[in-house]
Amino acid sequence: TSLPVDTSVQSAVVERTVNDEGAPLSVLVVDDNPVNRKVAQRLLERLGHEVRLAAEGAEALSMMNDESFDLVLMDLHMPNIDGFEATRRAKAIRAHEQTPIWAFTANALAQERDRCLAAGFDGFLTKPLRLGDLKQALSMVPRRLRAAQNDCA
């Protein structure tokens, strides 16, 4: 499913959200739908963050092995390796066990949220992605020392 663009992001002014240290976050967005990836990318970049994109779970895992991320937004339902399996595999790797991975799904039911948290996701965002929800999620993500994380790889 495609995400409608939140009209609050139409402002020409870049609104910055930063973590507790005032630094932009490095965010990996994983979604098999190109429109969903683009909407998330635009919102995150408008908020001043660095964004990388992956179209499916295997690509995300490969990127996570090559780069460090402050946050991963992971779609749940993708072909091949879905978000549940990709998250399980990522969390099993010592270098990624502390990387926040948030479920990113159109299913807003409480049972789905509970299922995601029980499966190892660190948070839950629903589609369509809303600027306020995204800003709140980003405010909870600490910037990790990337050098220290790379030493563990």
Side-chain angles (χ1 to χ4, degrees):
T1 46
S2 298
L3 293 176
V5 176
D6 184 336
T7 56
S8 65
V9 299
Q10 299 301 322
S11 168
V13 177
V14 172
E15 183 179 352
R16 309 244 338 150
T17 61
V18 292
N19 60 358
D20 55 356
E21 296 178 9
L25 298 170
S26 174
V27 182
L28 175 61
V29 176
V30 187
D31 198 307
D32 60 327
N33 183 299
V35 173
N36 292 344
R37 285 193 308 270
K38 191 57 129 176
V39 168
Q41 178 182 23
R42 286 187 179 158
L43 287 172
L44 287 160
E45 287 176 348
R46 192 166 295 256
L47 295 171
H49 300 291
E50 301 167 9
V51 181
R52 301 275 287 144
L53 304 173
E56 52 96 16
E59 182 182 7
L61 291 168
S62 176
M63 291 174 74
M64 290 176 74
N65 285 328
D66 293 339
E67 303 173 48
S68 62
F69 296 97
D70 297 305
L71 174 65
V72 178
L73 298 181
M74 182 79 70
D75 183 26
L76 299 181
H77 306 290
M78 298 178 288
N80 302 318
I81 298 176
D82 68 13
F84 290 101
E85 180 64 16
T87 297
R88 187 192 65 72
R89 290 185 190 185
K91 294 289 188 174
I93 298 169
R94 183 171 178 245
H96 306 306
E97 63 189 3
Q98 298 302 314
T99 301
I101 303 176
W102 284 54
F104 185 44
T105 180
N107 187 343
L109 297 176
Q111 297 93 328
E112 186 75 350
R113 179 186 180 94
D114 294 344
R115 180 176 167 225
C116 289
L117 296 175
F121 285 92
D122 300 290
F124 187 86
L125 281 172
T126 58
K127 302 174 194 176
L129 190 56
R130 291 175 189 87
L131 188 60
D133 294 341
L134 181 59
K135 287 167 64 174
Q136 181 180 12
L138 294 173
S139 72
M140 295 186 284
V141 178
R143 182 176 173 270
R144 294 177 302 128
L145 297 175
R146 292 191 181 109
Q149 181 188 16
N150 289 338
D151 289 345
C152 296

